[in-house]
């Protein structure tokens, strides 16, 4: 087993250190953002190496927080203290053995499962090595507000009071008109146990990917001491010894450290081989040949690999990467893994679309009706003298002649009266009530239409996925036909 790079570091962004959440987000995303708190812009649009950036929201978070500037200005506004802690900042190493697409998918999976599922808002950005210098290793940055968000979409409290009680279970006065209490965090996001869990989970995800790709590399979130790896320590050489070594002059300390490094390399090699054998035995015994529904991620990966192979420019490859990231993220967020879950998603969208269409139809019809009611009122008053004239006629023949002569007017009157009576049984026309109902329906209509547009966007994504998978399946079918023909020729 080869030891791969593991780096998972977390700090806090806080005003007491002169830091700004907006500026930090701008740097990580490579964007220009304006801080309302400080009244200044942070422009990092010329920053190189930012592959992609994205904001992942839990279901109860306001959708406007998908805008980076809106999100972090809201955080800055909520935190009023001059020494306020604003956000957690994670710096996590990616693996050189994985493609950038695989690294991004792995990072997104980790954040959705471990952060967003806990109700944490995530702003993450992926950085890649720059051949001309700059970033030395691929990694991703993550920023999360420290303050939690309530189910109603409002910012919650970071801490709550836990009062200290005496032996009788009574609160203990603090002598200043209050009671002795401990400030207890409302979440476990900043606890050492949670950090340890996240570090371990990230290592397990990367190791599972190594195993999937049949690579011997593994990472471990623990220190060498906790891993039980007995590596020998080197000695401190100092500037004089290092200067002599750079000139090619051997020193006792230099020779000793070279021996130590060679010994440590042997120790690592032995442990790698033993661990690799253990993993190989586990994999050999596992049942890997059970029939499965086609894995959509693999099919899409094959499609984009082929498309990238035929790309003529770096810009085309970047656009391919962006589209693939969007589709992978869509599949992951909606729990779509194979053709069965894809079919479930299509059925769900179809049912939701039908239901929303009915709601839209109902809202639109009612809004039209409300807008027509003032016209009905006008018609009622204009045609009421015609109706009153009919009521004054007592003889049948005269009445029939009158109705025939004023059929159109009477028809309009009866229709207007019917509509108004249904809306206002007491006969009192309430324009204010109608305006209020129309405003409410207008808002509901906008919300329903937004859902409908979301479903339409979903269907467009599914159609892209279908098209790409059909393309890959066609390639597979053609390859199978060629193999079949070759077998027949033999």
């Amino acid at each position: 087993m080869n030891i791969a790079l593991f780096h998972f570091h977390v700090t806090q962004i806080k005003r007491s250190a002169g830091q700004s959440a907006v500026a930090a987000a701008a740097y990580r995303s490579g964007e220009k953002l304006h801080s309302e708190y400080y009244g200044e812009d942070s422009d990092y649009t010329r920053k190189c190496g930012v592959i992609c950036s994205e904001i992942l929201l839990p279901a109860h978070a306001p959708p406007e927080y998908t805008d980076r500037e809106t999100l972090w200005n809201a955080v800055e506004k909520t935190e009023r203290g001059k020494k306020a802690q604003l956000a957690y900042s994670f710096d996590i190493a990616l693996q050189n053995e994985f493609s950038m697409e695989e690294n991004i998918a792995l990072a997104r999976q980790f954040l959705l499962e471990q952060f967003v599922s806990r109700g944490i808002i995530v702003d993450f950005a992926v950085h890649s090595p720059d051949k001309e210098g700059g970033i030395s290793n691929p990694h991703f940055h993550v920023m999360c507000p420290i303050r939690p968000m309530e189910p109603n979409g409002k910012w919650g409290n970071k801490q709550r009071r836990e009062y200290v009680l005496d032996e009788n279970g009574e609160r203990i006065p603090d002598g200043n008109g209050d009671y002795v209490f401990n400030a207890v965090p409302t979440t476990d996001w900043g606890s050492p146990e949670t950090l340890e869990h996240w570090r371990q989970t990230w290592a397990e995800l990367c190791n599972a990917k190594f195993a999937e790709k049949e690579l011997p590399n593994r990472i471990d979130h623990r220190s060498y001491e906790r891993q039980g790896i007995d590596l020998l320590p080197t000695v401190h050489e100092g500037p004089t010894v290092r200067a002599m070594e750079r000139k090619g002059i051997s020193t006792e300390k230099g020779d000793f450290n070279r021996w130590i490094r060679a010994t440590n390399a042997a120790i690592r090699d032995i442990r790698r081989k033993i661990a690799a054998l253990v993993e190989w035995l586990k994999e050999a015994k596992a049942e890997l040949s059970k029939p499965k529904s086609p894995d959509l991620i693999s099919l899409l990966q094959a499609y984009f690999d082929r498309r990238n192979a035929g790309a003529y420019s770096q810009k085309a490859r970047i656009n391919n990467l962006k589209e693939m990231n969007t589709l992978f993220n869509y599949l992951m967020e909606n729990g779509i893994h194979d053709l069965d879950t894809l079919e479930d998603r299509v059925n769900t969208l179809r049912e939701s679309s039908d239901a929303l269409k009915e709601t839209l139809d109902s809202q639109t019809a009612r809004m039209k009706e409300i807008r027509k009611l003032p016209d009905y009122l006008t018609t009622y008053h204009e045609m009421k003298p015609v109706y009153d004239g009919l009521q004054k006629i007592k003889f049948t023949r005269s009445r029939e002649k009158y109705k025939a002569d004023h059929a159109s007017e009477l028809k309009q009157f009866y229709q207007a009266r019917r509509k108004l009576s249904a809306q206002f049984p007491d006969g009192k026309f309430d324009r204010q009530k109608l305006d209020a109902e129309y405003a409410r329906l207008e808002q509901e209509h906008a919300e329903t239409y937004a859902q409908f547009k979301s479903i339409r966007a979903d269907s467009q994504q599914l159609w892209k996925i279908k098209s790409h998978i059909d393309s890959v399946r066609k390639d597979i079918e053609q390859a199978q036909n060629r193999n079949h023909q070759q077998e027949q020729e033999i």
Side-chain angles (χ1 to χ4, degrees):
M1 181 179 68
N2 299 326
I3 303 299
L5 174 67
F6 179 85
H7 178 77
F8 193 116
H9 186 60
V10 59
T11 58
Q12 286 187 356
I13 297 172
K14 44 193 176 183
R15 287 205 185 108
S16 59
Q19 296 170 326
S20 160
V22 174
Y27 173 79
R28 286 156 177 76
S29 62
E31 296 181 2
K32 179 180 179 180
L33 302 179
H34 176 75
S35 170
E36 297 173 3
Y37 183 87
Y38 290 104
E40 59 187 22
D41 293 335
S42 296
D43 188 353
Y44 291 96
T45 52
R46 295 185 179 181
K47 177 178 173 58
C48 299
V50 180
I51 294 299
C52 68
S53 62
E54 187 176 357
I55 293 177
L56 304 175
L57 297 181
H60 60 279
E64 58 265 26
Y65 288 165
T66 53
D67 178 76
R68 185 167 282 107
E69 188 171 272
T70 301
L71 168 63
W72 292 112
N73 271 304
V75 171
E76 294 273 13
K77 184 178 180 180
T78 303
E79 303 296 348
R80 300 179 180 178
K82 294 183 179 179
K83 297 183 178 181
Q85 298 169 340
L86 304 171
Y88 295 115
S89 175
F90 295 82
D91 181 11
I92 305 173
L94 297 169
Q95 301 304 317
N96 287 314
E97 293 79 6
F98 303 156
S99 69
M100 186 54 70
E101 294 90 339
E102 291 170 332
N103 272 318
I104 292 173
L106 207 62
R108 187 180 288 112
Q109 177 187 349
F110 171 70
L111 295 172
L112 288 171
E113 293 177 352
Q114 299 300 320
F115 285 67
V116 179
S117 64
R118 290 172 177 251
I120 303 175
I121 296 176
V122 171
D123 182 357
F124 87 102
V126 177
H127 292 185
S128 177
D130 188 338
K131 293 181 181 180
E132 298 178 357
I135 303 172
S136 58
N137 287 297
H139 61 279
F140 65 104
H141 291 281
V142 179
M143 283 180 60
C144 308
I146 294 177
R147 186 176 296 274
M149 180 158 287
E150 300 295 341
N152 61 2
K154 304 295 183 181
W155 295 106
N157 295 321
K158 294 179 183 175
Q159 299 176 332
R160 58 179 174 81
R161 288 188 175 188
E162 190 174 90
Y163 289 97
V164 179
L165 306 179
D166 59 19
E167 60 274 12
N168 298 319
E170 301 292 334
R171 296 180 181 180
I172 302 174
D174 64 358
N176 296 315
D178 204 345
Y179 299 93
V180 179
F181 68 89
N182 294 318
V184 180
T186 55
T187 71
D188 63 351
W189 302 346
S191 71
E193 294 79 12
T194 300
L195 178 59
E196 174 73 6
H197 168 73
W198 283 338
R199 288 168 59 87
Q200 180 179 351
T201 302
W202 174 246
E204 290 172 349
L205 277 174
C206 290
N207 288 335
K209 191 66 178 178
F210 282 130
E212 176 189 325
K213 295 173 69 69
E214 299 183 350
L215 295 173
N217 309 64
R218 295 295 183 270
I219 60 176
D220 198 309
H221 70 288
R222 301 169 299 171
S223 65
Y224 281 142
E225 181 179 357
R226 288 176 60 197
Q227 293 178 52
I229 299 178
D230 300 323
L231 294 180
L232 305 177
T234 57
V235 296
H236 179 66
E237 295 178 348
T240 302
V241 171
R242 286 198 294 271
M244 293 175 66
E245 289 286 338
R246 281 197 297 271
K247 293 178 180 179
I249 303 172
S250 296
T251 63
E252 287 185 1
K253 287 185 177 180
D255 290 338
F256 180 80
N257 281 344
R258 277 187 285 275
W259 177 81
I260 291 294
R261 293 187 186 100
T263 304
N264 283 340
I267 292 172
R268 290 191 186 98
D269 187 61
I270 292 170
R271 292 184 178 275
R272 288 170 189 161
K273 286 182 171 61
I274 293 174
L277 286 170
V278 171
E279 292 296 321
W280 177 80
L281 287 170
K282 289 180 181 178
E283 294 172 6
K285 292 178 180 180
E287 297 181 24
L288 302 177
S289 59
K290 292 182 178 179
K292 297 180 180 179
S293 180
D295 176 63
L296 299 185
I297 294 293
S298 300
L299 292 173
L300 287 175
Q301 183 70 61
Y303 169 80
F304 281 102
D305 286 346
R306 187 194 65 182
R307 206 161 92 174
N308 277 331
Y312 291 100
S313 67
Q314 181 64 19
K315 182 178 180 181
R317 285 188 284 272
I318 291 175
N319 289 335
N320 290 342
L321 176 60
K322 289 180 179 178
E323 182 182 346
M324 186 179 71
N325 289 339
T326 300
L327 294 180
F328 280 12
N329 184 42
Y330 175 83
L331 291 174
M332 195 173 303
E333 288 180 341
N334 291 284
I336 302 173
H337 312 292
D338 50 26
L339 294 179
D340 292 333
T341 49
L342 180 61
E343 183 181 21
D344 292 340
R345 182 64 180 172
V346 171
N347 289 334
T348 299
L349 290 181
R350 182 177 59 189
E351 294 170 0
S352 299
S353 177
D354 291 345
L356 287 173
K357 180 60 168 58
E358 290 181 7
T359 303
L360 278 175
D361 290 343
S362 174
Q363 292 167 342
T364 303
R366 178 56 182 160
M367 291 169 72
K368 288 181 179 179
E369 187 176 35
I370 290 175
R371 279 292 179 255
K372 286 182 178 179
L373 284 173
D375 294 335
Y376 286 132
L377 182 63
T378 299
T379 300
Y380 176 86
H381 288 305
E382 289 178 351
M383 301 303 166
K384 191 171 187 305
V386 178
Y387 172 78
D388 291 341
L390 176 63
Q391 304 309 309
K392 295 175 182 178
I393 302 174
K394 298 181 179 179
F395 299 103
T396 303
R397 185 175 294 179
S398 298
R399 285 178 62 87
E400 293 301 324
K401 185 178 185 305
Y402 186 91
K403 287 197 290 186
D405 293 340
H406 300 85
S408 177
E409 294 93 329
L410 290 172
K411 181 179 180 181
Q412 293 178 58
F413 174 81
Y414 292 138
Q415 182 186 36
R417 186 176 66 176
R418 208 166 43 245
K419 295 289 186 180
L420 293 171
S421 297
Q423 181 66 41
F424 305 105
D426 58 358
K428 296 180 181 180
F429 186 88
D430 191 338
R431 183 60 182 264
Q432 188 174 0
K433 178 182 176 182
L434 287 179
D435 289 342
E437 183 184 0
Y438 189 91
R440 176 180 58 79
L441 283 168
E442 198 171 35
Q443 177 63 31
E444 291 176 358
H445 184 279
E447 293 170 357
T448 305
Y449 186 68
Q451 296 178 54
F452 200 80
K453 287 172 64 178
S454 176
I455 289 178
R456 184 176 63 182
D458 267 9
S459 65
Q460 290 171 343
Q461 296 288 60
L462 290 172
W463 188 256
K464 282 185 180 179
I465 292 168
K466 171 194 173 297
S467 299
H468 296 343
I469 290 174
D470 283 344
S471 177
V472 174
R473 293 176 65 188
K474 183 178 180 181
D475 289 345
I476 294 173
E477 183 178 356
Q478 289 175 349
Q480 290 174 343
N481 290 337
R482 284 195 299 268
N483 292 335
H484 181 66
Q485 290 176 358
Q486 289 173 358
E487 290 174 358
Q488 287 182 332
E489 291 173 358
I490 295 174

